[in-house]
Amino acid sequence: RLGTEYDRVEVMELNSYFTSEEVIARAREKQVVDLAGLKPVCYYGCQGQRPPKITKHPNPENPMGLDNLMSALGAEVRDWSFKTDCCGASHSLARPDILYKMVGDLYRRALEAGANCFVTGCQMCQANLDLYQKEIAAEMGEEVYLPAFYFTELIGLALGHKDAKRWLHRHMVNPKALLSEANLLEKI
């Protein structure tokens, strides 16, 4: 404390801040690109909303913030019951077999929901959904093309950020075909 009094600071998870009603309304005001054509499942991962005593998240088992944000920006969000399932997180190095099974299940469920991409608020989840898709799809014996976006990428795209197109090359699953099909690529 060093003899100084500090006010209590409220710590807020990034996607909780960006999905507040005020920020969503502000994003809608500033939006220049409609995200129509994207049919994401919103994937929160298993830890961002939990434990609710710490996060104060109002609905940790069925969060809706990213769903509301993406819908407000024009995406056709798909409903699914797996938005807080675990992706295998840190198993990628020690037990890739576990990660492949867990992520493969998420791919199947997303495709069953009619999704053409993931939107996530967790960097580890985005990495797991994006990095191993080719290998996991081969193991599943299925064709899988589901780009995984970190939610701020789509906010930037919707707001017309000048560098939005440059961000796309960082993905292992190239989202350009999806964005082109949705007539979004030429808008950024």
Side-chain angles (χ1 to χ4, degrees), residues 107-181:
Y107 292 161
R108 277 190 200 95
R109 293 166 176 166
L111 292 168
E112 288 168 3
N116 62 11
C117 62
F118 286 96
V119 175
T120 184
C122 171
Q123 300 91 343
M124 180 65 90
C125 294
Q126 183 200 11
N128 284 341
L129 294 168
D130 184 50
L131 290 173
Y132 311 106
Q133 195 166 112
K134 184 177 179 180
E135 294 87 347
I136 295 170
E139 206 168 275
M140 292 167 55
E142 294 182 33
E143 190 80 23
V144 176
Y145 175 68
L146 289 167
F149 295 98
Y150 190 66
F151 76 103
T152 55
E153 292 179 290
L154 294 180
I155 292 172
L157 191 153
L159 299 184
H161 192 287
K162 66 180 176 61
D163 292 328
K165 196 176 228 175
R166 289 185 23 201
W167 304 332
L168 302 177
H169 78 277
R170 297 177 181 159
H171 291 258
M172 295 302 291
V173 177
N174 189 335
K176 289 181 181 178
L178 171 63
L179 295 174
S180 182
E181 182 181 305

